[in-house]
Amino acid sequence: MTHGQSGATRPGLRERKKRRTRDALLRAALELFATQGYERTTVDEIVEAADVSQRTFFRYFASKEEVTFAVQEMVESRFIAELRRRPAREAPFEAMRRAVLCAWNSIGEAIEEVITVELHMRTYQMIESTPSLLAAHMRRGIALENQIAGLIAEREGLDVERDPRPRVAVAAFSGVMRVTGQLWGQGHDSSVEALRDLTEAYLDQLVPALAGDWRRPEGSEGDVPQPGDVHTAE
């Protein structure tokens, strides 16, 4: 693969075989986790389902925890890449909002190249209901928030250690993302479109919720989108 052509050149046979092996392990692991539980599933069962050796598993993943969060890592990386590309003129909330929506515009296809979106939802539900994974999920979330806060501070020319605004903005944004993820995981529509619409609808409520007068009639609860009707959100 020559320099300057990596984005357009198809991976070689060796790389494609490695990718297929990794994807097979990922699918086998997540299906077993979602079906019989994370704690009950062993690495031996995963490699047997994928028809590879245990040595091969550890060549691609350091642990069961790492394979559990592999797809989420891909989603987060796509968001970070989109955030880095946002124009400097955009305010922090707008940059984060546009970055996450742009990421979800393309991530569905990337996820489905590896696993079904339905399995992704079941994995999310499994993480939420498994104490050890939920703790890991929270640790990862804190690390991600710190990374995003650093990016926002850099965009705005601020020192993240001296100015609280980047961390406060990211904390509010991340809170909305956690809520929409939980609502999506509890819903009946496992499509990426449903998650994107729900995310957009709830992000659009962030500024009114923080700055608006909730007691005014036009700010009534009936105006807040619900999981079942978010497809109407623009």
Side-chain angles (χ1 to χ4, degrees):
M1 199 175 288
T2 60
H3 291 294
Q5 295 181 320
S6 58
T9 304
R10 188 184 181 196
L13 177 61
R14 179 181 175 83
E15 288 303 312
R16 294 200 303 274
K17 289 179 68 174
K18 288 170 64 176
R19 182 63 175 268
R20 284 196 294 268
T21 300
R22 184 181 186 278
D23 290 352
L25 281 165
L26 181 55
R27 283 191 296 271
L30 296 185
E31 188 62 53
L32 285 168
F33 294 160
T35 301
Q36 65 185 33
Y38 175 79
E39 303 291 354
R40 296 192 193 95
T41 301
T42 66
V43 171
D44 285 338
E45 290 175 309
I46 295 170
V47 299
E48 182 179 355
D51 196 24
V52 298
S53 67
Q54 189 176 104
R55 183 177 179 181
T56 299
F57 175 89
F58 288 111
R59 190 180 302 148
Y60 292 95
F61 302 103
S63 63
K64 290 196 306 177
E65 181 180 302
E66 184 175 312
V67 73
T68 302
F69 291 102
V71 174
Q72 187 170 324
E73 175 72 28
M74 179 174 66
V75 172
E76 292 165 353
S77 296
R78 185 72 60 94
F79 166 73
I80 291 294
E82 291 289 349
L83 182 58
R84 291 184 186 279
R85 284 196 284 265
R86 298 314 306 169
R89 66 178 180 274
E90 290 180 352
F93 274 125
E94 184 65 12
M96 289 188 286
R97 178 184 180 278
R98 289 184 179 274
V100 75
L101 296 179
C102 285
W104 279 117
N105 280 338
S106 59
I107 200 64
E109 183 177 336
I111 291 174
E112 290 185 318
E113 288 180 359
V114 184
I115 62 172
T116 65
V117 177
E118 184 267 342
L119 180 55
H120 182 48
M121 174 186 269
R122 289 166 60 203
T123 300
Y124 189 91
Q125 294 168 335
M126 183 267 299
I127 291 171
E128 290 279 313
S129 61
T130 306
S132 61
L133 291 178
L134 185 56
H137 184 48
M138 294 176 68
R139 288 196 304 271
R140 294 181 77 260
I142 292 170
L144 181 63
E145 286 182 18
N146 288 334
Q147 183 181 5
I148 298 170
L151 285 176
I152 293 297
E154 183 180 339
R155 281 173 52 90
E156 301 301 312
L158 304 174
D159 182 349
V160 73
E161 301 302 330
R162 299 172 69 89
D163 194 315
R165 288 175 294 176
R167 294 190 193 280
V168 171
V170 171
F173 175 82
S174 298
V176 174
M177 298 305 295
R178 278 192 291 273
V179 168
T180 55
Q182 290 168 351
L183 290 172
W184 178 72
Q186 296 165 7
H188 302 293
D189 188 345
S190 62
S191 68
V192 171
E193 291 78 12
L195 178 54
R196 187 195 184 282
D197 289 348
L198 191 63
T199 300
E200 183 172 22
Y202 273 68
L203 283 175
D204 286 347
Q205 293 294 320
L206 183 56
V207 172
L210 293 177
D213 182 353
W214 292 11
R215 297 182 182 182
R216 294 177 60 184
E218 57 267 32
S220 63
E221 289 185 19
D223 294 331
V224 180
Q226 298 301 312
D229 57 26
V230 292
H231 284 289
T232 61
E234 293 296 332

